[in-house]
Amino acid sequence: MHNNSRRGFMGKAFGAVAGVGVLGSLVAMKKSWDPLPSVRAAGFTTLDMSIYKEGELITEQWRGKPVFVLKKTAEMIEKQTESQEKRDIIINGSHFMVAIGLCTHLGCIPAYKVDEEEFLCACHGGKFDWSGEVTLLPPPRALDIPPFKIEGNNMILGEIGPEFKAMKDSGITL
Amino acid sequence: MANFTKATGIKDWLNQRLAIEKVEKVIASEYWIPKNINFLWAMGMILVFTFKMLLISGIFLMMYYQPSVEQAFDSVNYTIMREVDFGWLWRHVHAVASSVTFLIMYIHMFTGIYYGSYKKGREMIWISGMLLFITFSAAAFSGYMLPWGQMSYWAGMVITNIFSLGGLHMDGLVEWIRGDYVPAQAFLTRFYMLHVLLLPLAIIGLMGLHFAALRIPHVNNQDGEEIDFDAEAKKYLDGDKKGSKVMRFANDFLSKDMMVLGIFLIFFFYLVFFNYGFALDPVNMDKADGLITPKHIYPEWYFLWSYEILRPFSTNVGLIAFGFAQVIYLFLPWLDRSSNAVAASRRGKFKIWFWVLLIDMIVLTAMGKLPPEGIFSTIGLVAALVFIALWIILPFITMNEKKV
Ligand code: HEM
Ligand code: FES
């Protein structure tokens, strides 16, 4: 009886020490898989917004992901609905569609069809209009807008400016 | 203290220290196998063989493969395929063996389902088998990343995105798995580690569990006969080899196994030398490019059925259906409410269930390969719904099954 309780105590004491060790090593393992600081630091891209031509889709790169930039034509601005307009990014009077060029379904790059003015995702057949809104399932939401900050003619991707914050808060993008 | 005597020979010396005779009996000469089984029971041995081929060819590939985003593609497509003498052989063997492993695994699984070999004490065999299937799937996926071609990259992108769990938006989890915002160096190196070390280790461990789980219940037989292994073994050892319903695993049954394996080998090396194309996707012969998606992304043929269950639905519903398809086979021993461990042909409604499931899997596989348009989308959707419905009705159709 006496012995048993002593063994029980030793077992519990070992369990406590081992438990701390296991938790500690799990934390270390988790952190070892985090993106490296150098990867995080390379996460900013500056775009000069004065060089884009109207109606022409340009694909830039940010954090290894494609970023679509489309300077809207006067006709597009004219006909856009309220929800399409909310996604506009206005820099020096020009209206832009800027979005991460990965389908919100499972991440393929939708192709822009100039004539139809829409994006078609070949993976599972999803479609987006020229403002980035979904027109055909399965994508669950409009193309995501990357965090951005506007400085004069420049747009800095990866930093959060007031315009982006407003969009995020109103739920226009994630 | 144990009593050691001067050994009469090497065998006796080992026997005193390792009890090799006893071990040999337990795993080979007195491991009893029913006589009434057919070639479908040789699939397990063929899987041991294909795994051995993966291991050997993998070791040779590893000696020239470079797990870096700049060099991986060329180290496979140039160094291994063109410079290394017989490098192509290891690559073809590796690619064909991984594909064929899945073909045989599916045959093995459906044999088990057909004969009810997952109940009456055989539940652990089934569970360890399904864990092997899942680990092999992870191994094949991680291996597919390594040549760093267009399909590697985009399959890596699409599949890791599944971990954002749709509406839960767990992008942090996806970035953690990748070690970057997109599949890049950290991703390639960690998948290389998984592919060549951690997952093969897990596979070897699970194989051990699978075989251990077989030892006590023994294999089932094609007549669903309940054999008293102790009594039949006694009969055999007493000299009535003909009258006994069982035989030794080694060398009796093994010789049958080797016969089937021999035929399989001819088929296998025919594929390796003359028909390896199906196992090496042409799209993957282009180097990974994060700014160009291939026209049509599809996984290897053996994942198509579950991919097709994901595809026709909206994101969240699709993910739930996909998750369901991944785990549901694990629960088969409990969803089948009947205690009949006999061939499906004798089980009434279950017989229909079995064949519909098999055909549905084939239809899903075919639709998964076709572009998601028009009539194919519709057939795919129906087949996905049939798959889910089949598993939901299974307990009900087996509940009142007559005892045979
Ligand atoms: C210890 C065992 C294994 C080792 C050491 C190993 C090693 C390798 C290496 C170095 C590569 C890259 C070279 C190449 O792409 O050809 C590779 C590729 C691959 N492995 Fe494995 N492997 C093993 C087991 C497996 C298993 C169990 C499977 C799946 C059933 C598998 C499936 C694949 C696939 C699909 C590829 C890509 C093949 C290609 O595109 O050429 N491997 N493996
Ligand atoms: S990834 Fe675009 S529709 Fe699925």
Side-chain angles (χ1 to χ4, degrees):
Chain A
M1 190 59 215
H2 188 65
N3 258 340
N4 268 349
S5 66
R6 251 167 67 179
R7 284 193 191 123
F9 171 75
M10 288 195 282
K12 285 192 192 104
F14 170 73
V17 174
V20 171
V22 166
L23 275 182
S25 36
L26 281 180
V27 170
M29 288 177 195
K30 189 271 167 192
K31 297 233 165 190
S32 292
W33 267 40
D34 279 343
L36 300 178
S38 56
V39 167
R40 292 221 183 274
F44 303 94
T45 303
T46 303
L47 304 178
D48 176 356
M49 303 305 282
S50 62
I51 59 170
Y52 297 98
K53 287 204 206 81
E54 279 185 8
E56 191 182 335
L57 183 87
I58 301 292
T59 306
E60 302 285 358
Q61 201 171 3
W62 167 72
R63 293 188 179 173
K65 298 174 187 179
V67 169
F68 293 150
V69 180
L70 178 70
K71 186 168 174 181
K72 294 181 178 174
T73 59
E75 189 195 339
M76 283 174 177
I77 299 166
E78 184 71 26
K79 72 180 175 194
Q80 66 189 356
T81 65
E82 201 181 324
S83 75
Q84 285 173 327
E85 194 182 334
K86 282 198 184 130
R87 299 174 51 84
D88 262 6
I89 294 168
I90 301 168
I91 296 171
N92 274 345
S94 307
H95 295 239
F96 288 94
M97 186 281 293
V98 177
I100 296 178
L102 296 174
C103 182
T104 50
H105 181 223
L106 287 174
C108 296
I109 304 177
Y112 189 61
K113 310 273 177 209
V114 184
D115 295 336
E116 289 92 21
E117 293 184 341
E118 68 174 10
F119 295 92
L120 169 68
C121 180
C123 286
H124 315 100
K127 282 186 186 175
F128 303 86
D129 66 21
W130 44 270
S131 76
E133 294 199 310
V134 181
T135 50
L136 190 70
L137 290 179
R141 60 177 190 279
L143 293 175
D144 293 328
I145 297 172
F148 65 89
K149 192 171 159 197
I150 297 169
E151 279 179 5
N153 262 336
N154 288 343
M155 185 168 179
I156 302 162
L157 299 180
E159 269 189 59
I160 297 178
E163 292 87 352
F164 177 76
K165 196 160 182 315
M167 281 183 168
K168 198 174 164 76
D169 291 344
S170 59
I172 291 170
T173 187
L174 276 182
Chain B
M1 193 192 134
N3 200 10
F4 289 91
T5 56
K6 185 158 169 43
T8 56
I10 294 176
K11 195 169 169 198
D12 181 47
W13 189 88
L14 285 172
N15 216 8
Q16 289 191 40
R17 286 155 182 81
L18 295 171
I20 52 170
E21 261 171 17
K22 199 165 175 187
V23 172
E24 191 275 337
K25 277 188 181 164
V26 171
I27 66 173
S29 65
E30 293 188 13
Y31 171 24
W32 303 101
I33 307 291
K35 285 181 180 167
N36 52 339
I37 59 181
N38 57 37
F39 76 98
L40 289 168
W41 270 269
M43 297 304 138
M45 267 300 156
I46 292 183
L47 286 168
V48 172
F49 167 80
T50 53
F51 182 68
K52 206 172 88 190
M53 295 308 272
L54 285 166
L55 208 64
I56 295 171
S57 55
I59 287 170
F60 280 87
L61 291 171
M62 240 178 115
M63 291 189 246
Y64 289 98
Y65 175 76
Q66 305 265 8
S68 101
V69 289
E70 278 90 31
Q71 292 167 305
F73 184 79
D74 291 329
S75 75
V76 173
N77 291 293
Y78 183 73
T79 312
I80 293 176
M81 290 302 280
R82 289 165 196 234
E83 283 197 299
V84 180
D85 250 350
F86 285 97
W88 58 270
L89 176 67
W90 307 123
R91 189 168 191 223
H92 287 182
V93 166
H94 206 73
V96 170
S98 63
S99 213
V100 170
T101 295
F102 279 89
L103 175 67
I104 306 290
M105 257 190 313
Y106 284 126
I107 298 177
H108 191 57
M109 267 171 78
F110 275 82
T111 304
I113 301 177
Y114 187 82
Y115 290 105
S117 309
Y118 46 82
K119 26 187 166 179
K120 292 198 180 158
R122 298 199 178 88
E123 293 83 355
M124 273 315 295
I125 309 176
W126 181 258
I127 291 174
S128 56
M130 280 313 298
L131 294 178
L132 273 169
F133 179 83
I134 293 166
T135 326
F136 260 105
S137 303
F141 174 71
S142 58
Y144 200 62
M145 299 300 107
L146 302 184
W148 211 241
Q150 271 293 64
M151 271 298 186
S152 303
Y153 184 91
W154 286 100
M157 181 78 114
V158 171
I159 300 296
T160 46
N161 263 341
I162 287 179
F163 291 92
S164 70
L165 301 181
L168 298 181
H169 300 305
M170 305 204 5
D171 299 335
L173 177 61
V174 175
E175 282 166 17
W176 181 74
I177 292 172
R178 293 177 182 162
D180 203 326
Y181 304 106
V182 288
Q185 184 60 56
F187 174 85
L188 179 58
T189 343
R190 70 184 51 167
F191 273 69
Y192 178 62
M193 175 283 291
L194 289 173
H195 186 70
V196 305
L197 182 67
L198 197 56
L199 294 169
L201 271 184
I203 287 174
I204 292 169
L206 285 168
M207 280 186 175
L209 177 63
H210 199 56
F211 298 152
L214 265 162
R215 187 61 183 79
I216 296 171
H218 292 82
V219 295
N220 196 4
N221 55 76
Q222 62 183 2
D223 306 314
E225 193 177 344
E226 287 207 33
I227 295 175
D228 180 343
F229 282 91
D230 291 334
E232 297 300 326
K234 189 166 180 313
K235 225 193 230 172
Y236 186 102
L237 291 173
D238 289 346
D240 185 9
K241 291 191 184 178
K242 258 216 164 90
S244 173
K245 288 180 179 161
V246 298
M247 59 183 158
R248 300 178 192 274
F249 170 71
N251 295 320
D252 307 358
F253 177 64
L254 214 52
S255 60
K256 272 196 179 180
D257 254 357
M258 291 303 131
M259 174 71 203
V260 180
L261 183 59
I263 295 168
F264 170 80
L265 281 176
I266 296 172
F267 164 71
F268 180 80
F269 282 101
Y270 161 75
L271 293 178
V272 167
F273 291 118
F274 304 110
N275 232 326
Y276 48 84
F278 76 97
L280 294 167
D281 197 291
V283 180
N284 223 18
M285 302 297 155
D286 290 325
K287 198 170 169 169
D289 184 344
L291 295 183
I292 304 172
T293 330
K295 266 219 166 53
H296 179 194
I297 297 182
Y298 45 83
E300 291 289 277
W301 70 266
Y302 39 83
F303 293 139
L304 286 171
W305 69 272
S306 53
Y307 183 65
E308 186 57 25
I309 288 175
L310 170 82
R311 206 163 63 159
F313 303 106
S314 66
T315 317
N316 289 336
V317 181
L319 281 174
I320 293 168
F322 182 73
F324 176 86
Q326 298 311 306
V327 300
I328 198 65
Y329 278 93
L330 261 171
F331 298 102
L332 176 59
W334 294 277
L335 292 174
D336 180 347
R337 308 297 307 158
S338 150
S339 65
N340 293 328
V342 303
S345 59
R346 288 158 60 192
R347 292 185 54 194
K349 291 197 197 92
F350 182 82
K351 173 182 166 186
I352 303 170
W353 185 89
F354 173 86
W355 290 109
V356 175
L357 177 67
L358 185 58
I359 293 165
D360 196 52
M361 293 282 286
I362 295 170
V363 171
L364 284 168
T365 301
M367 293 306 127
K369 183 84 189 187
L370 296 165
E373 290 154 10
I375 182 78
F376 302 138
S377 291
T378 318
I379 299 175
L381 175 64
V382 172
L385 292 172
V386 167
F387 180 88
I388 295 167
L390 279 172
W391 286 96
I392 292 173
I393 62 169
L394 180 61
F396 302 101
I397 62 169
T398 49
M399 208 157 51
N400 299 318
E401 193 174 301
K402 270 209 298 289
K403 191 130 184 60
V404 292

